[in-house]
Amino acid sequence: MEDNKFFHSVYLNKDLCNGCINCIKRCPTQAIRVRKGRAVITSQYCIDCGECIRICNHHAKRSHYDCPDILGNYKYTVALPAPSLYSQFNNLDDINIVLTALIHMGFSDVYEVAAAAEIVSEASRKYIEEHQDQWPIISTACPSVVRLIRVRFPNLIDHLLPINPPVEVAARLARKYAMQKTGLSSEDIGIIFISPCPSKVTYAKSPIGVAKSDIDGVLAIKDIYPMLLPLMRTAKAAPMDLARAGRIGVGWGSNGGEAAGIITDSYLAADGIENVIRVLEDMEDEKFTNLSFIELNACDGGCVGGVLTVENPYVAQAKLKKLNRYLPVSVTHSPPDLSDEELNWSEEVEYLPVYRLGSSMKESLMMMNRVERLCQKFPGLDCGSCGAPTCKALAEDIVRGKANETDCIHILKDHIHSLTSSVNSLVNSAPANEVNGNDYRYIFKQYLRKVLSDMSMLDATLNPSKDDDIDEEE
């Protein structure tokens, strides 16, 4: 597999990591290990959902994204605000205030991702109606969900909706309109997305379904938010007429919004990566027989719950719902100059067998057998003390040559206990010749006694007696 398939926005700041195991227990693809007191992210497994960023109390997990200085790299810049941006502000009743503030911030123009979402909703309705053999069809708006499916649920790839996400459609239309308006070349125009999550940062660098994204840069909502607040006060006095989206497009910012735009009753909408996995497992088991569409969002509450936002996701959902009261149902429809090639995927999404143990079927089977034997030796507690999320994950790491059996604290306890007993027997059987203080046998015995003392202390720590146990009820 090529390394460029695994560009990631999520990364680890080793200086802040203290080796706790919170992240390894919450990672949906078991991409994180703790080795030598520091977390390690396996690139092939990571889907950039940002769950480790959310859970890390030490802020050691972070995300790459651009800084506002990127606006100076282009002659003309277009901001692509995500619908979730609107949910970050209190008492907002006019989207034009936010869009005007973006112009005051230095952008040449804006094109709402929500407007493109209405175009995608229209195209999705048509596709779902014409492809009933693929039901239920899975949304592809969340890049983390698509990445999760391609590495962990390959049997569901055929159910993916092969339409570009709104952010990509918005980028392509924004560039086309900017070139027509200014006469500038594509290289002089910067299309900058304002993102709620690291997943879409990764998409801009390593897109799914297309060879190259039209997004030139990505800014985080949490960085833009404090810059926009004072500018919005000025923009409120004289807002420009820039908004081009209604309830359907803006509703995409929270869970269930995309399904609402499809206008169907036979749908399922789930948010939060653990719930997403549960839905995909049920889908593999063919538990859904009467659904036409499944909307899945890796973040709690949908995009409003992204780790690059500032507002609580549930408060943000309420704000977005309130804002939608003032909007028409839909404003933007598919423009006649938007081709099918620009709207739909141009590349197939393929299964990535990143969890495969061996390079051949025979080797994989042999390694799987060894994994099973190791799992029988381990206690099956999935405690995470070894630095792996489960006993099976540790067994796989051992088979791959990245860990040892004694990384398991319970195996290590047994090993120390056995070694202590052996040294004790050796000490008792060694000849005690203390006549000559330089006798090698005497020196050796004294050395063994010191080793035994150290090992006994360690053995007592790892194997406490029942008398030392604290009663749980006490």
Side-chain angles (χ1 to χ4, degrees):
M1 278 170 283
E2 300 176 6
D3 290 339
N4 61 7
K5 289 184 179 180
F6 300 113
F7 168 84
H8 294 289
S9 56
V10 174
Y11 70 97
L12 173 74
N13 184 330
K14 294 182 179 180
D15 295 334
L16 297 178
C17 179
N18 74 344
C20 73
I21 61 173
N22 290 334
C23 56
I24 70 172
K25 302 300 289 185
R26 291 295 296 270
C27 179
T29 56
Q30 299 186 350
I32 306 176
R33 301 289 189 272
V34 173
R35 298 193 180 108
K36 298 181 180 180
R38 293 291 184 272
V40 178
I41 301 176
T42 304
S43 174
Q44 292 91 330
Y45 302 166
C46 179
I47 59 173
D48 290 295
C49 63
E51 192 65 23
C52 58
I53 298 177
R54 192 190 317 278
I55 199 65
C56 183
N57 294 324
H58 308 283
H59 308 290
K61 313 297 189 305
R62 299 187 175 185
S63 174
H64 291 292
Y65 47 80
D66 297 299
C67 65
D69 294 344
I70 193 175
L71 272 66
N73 296 345
Y74 303 93
K75 295 180 180 179
Y76 191 89
T77 54
V78 183
L80 304 182
S84 50
L85 174 64
Y86 311 143
S87 68
Q88 307 299 297
F89 306 100
N90 294 324
N91 304 314
L92 180 67
D93 57 6
D94 186 0
I95 291 174
N96 283 311
I97 296 175
V98 178
L99 302 182
T100 303
L102 288 170
I103 299 296
H104 293 338
M105 180 181 160
F107 285 98
S108 308
D109 199 359
V110 295
Y111 189 95
E112 293 179 272
V113 175
E118 297 187 350
I119 296 173
V120 173
S121 292
E122 184 179 321
S124 299
R125 286 194 297 271
K126 182 179 179 180
Y127 184 90
I128 293 171
E129 183 180 345
E130 294 176 351
H131 295 80
Q132 297 188 19
D133 57 313
Q134 288 182 242
W135 286 11
I137 292 174
I138 305 173
S139 164
T140 52
C142 178
S144 286
V145 172
V146 180
R147 291 176 183 273
L148 175 65
I149 291 173
R150 72 191 304 214
V151 300
R152 189 167 165 183
F153 299 93
N155 294 333
L156 302 181
I157 289 179
D158 291 340
H159 291 271
L160 291 173
L161 180 68
I163 296 177
N164 287 321
V167 63
E168 184 63 35
V169 175
R172 294 183 176 191
L173 289 174
R175 186 178 302 279
K176 179 183 293 187
Y177 295 153
M179 292 173 65
Q180 294 173 356
K181 182 178 180 179
T182 63
L184 295 172
S185 65
S186 177
E187 292 75 18
D188 292 329
I189 297 171
I191 307 299
I192 313 299
F193 176 54
I194 302 173
S195 177
C197 67
S199 175
K200 292 183 175 64
V201 179
T202 300
Y203 174 88
K205 302 293 185 180
S206 181
I208 301 172
V210 294
K212 184 180 182 300
S213 174
D214 265 68
I215 303 169
D216 296 309
V218 182
L219 302 179
I221 285 180
K222 67 177 184 177
D223 286 354
I224 297 300
Y225 175 81
M227 301 174 66
L228 288 181
L229 284 177
L231 298 174
M232 286 174 62
R233 298 189 185 99
T234 305
K236 189 174 182 179
M240 306 176 189
D241 185 17
L242 299 170
R244 295 294 180 270
R247 295 178 191 173
I248 288 179
V250 174
W252 274 60
S254 62
N255 185 50
E258 181 181 2
I262 301 298
I263 312 178
T264 177
D265 293 329
S266 60
Y267 76 91
L268 179 155
D271 61 307
I273 193 64
E274 293 179 354
N275 294 327
V276 166
I277 292 173
R278 189 175 300 115
V279 168
L280 293 174
E281 288 174 343
D282 287 346
M283 188 173 174
E284 271 197 328
D285 293 338
E286 299 182 353
K287 292 185 178 180
F288 307 129
T289 58
N290 58 345
L291 297 178
S292 62
F293 182 71
I294 294 180
E295 174 190 342
L296 300 174
N297 291 285
C299 297
D300 293 331
C303 291
V304 294
V307 295
L308 300 185
T309 61
V310 295
E311 184 58 277
N312 176 280
Y314 303 105
V315 174
Q317 277 185 306
K319 289 181 179 180
L320 211 58
K321 185 176 181 180
K322 181 180 179 181
L323 177 62
N324 263 352
R325 296 176 186 171
Y326 305 97
L327 301 177
V329 174
S330 181
V331 176
T332 304
H333 302 281
S334 295
D337 56 345
L338 182 65
S339 66
D340 291 340
E341 289 74 18
E342 292 174 312
L343 181 63
N344 300 322
W345 282 354
S346 57
E347 294 187 349
E348 292 185 5
V349 171
E350 298 178 347
Y351 167 49
L352 293 179
V354 296
Y355 296 106
R356 184 181 295 167
L357 291 173
S359 57
S360 65
M361 180 64 71
K362 181 179 179 181
E363 184 182 9
S364 295
L365 289 173
M366 292 175 63
M367 295 174 76
M368 287 172 62
N369 288 332
R370 189 183 171 199
V371 168
E372 292 299 322
R373 291 196 300 271
L374 285 169
C375 287
Q376 292 175 4
K377 295 177 63 176
F378 296 146
L381 299 177
D382 296 341
C383 62
S385 299
C386 61
T390 64
C391 292
K392 183 178 180 182
L394 174 60
E396 292 174 350
D397 289 346
I398 294 172
V399 169
R400 289 189 174 100
K402 297 181 179 180
N404 300 306
E405 287 188 35
T406 51
D407 288 340
C408 174
I409 192 70
H410 303 280
I411 297 292
L412 180 61
K413 285 168 59 176
D414 294 340
H415 181 69
I416 294 295
H417 187 65
S418 175
L419 195 56
T420 301
S421 299
S422 298
V423 174
N424 189 33
S425 300
L426 187 59
V427 168
N428 293 331
S429 63
N433 184 352
E434 301 185 15
V435 176
N436 182 356
N438 294 323
D439 191 287
Y440 77 92
R441 291 173 297 180
Y442 172 72
I443 296 174
F444 179 62
K445 186 171 182 177
Q446 292 297 97
Y447 172 74
L448 286 178
R449 282 175 175 164
K450 177 65 170 62
V451 172
L452 179 61
S453 175
D454 294 341
M455 292 181 64
S456 295
M457 292 177 62
L458 180 59
D459 188 27
T461 301
L462 295 177
N463 296 281
S465 64
K466 292 184 179 180
D467 294 336
D468 296 331
D469 290 344
I470 298 175
D471 192 295
E472 292 183 356
E473 294 181 358
E474 295 179 359

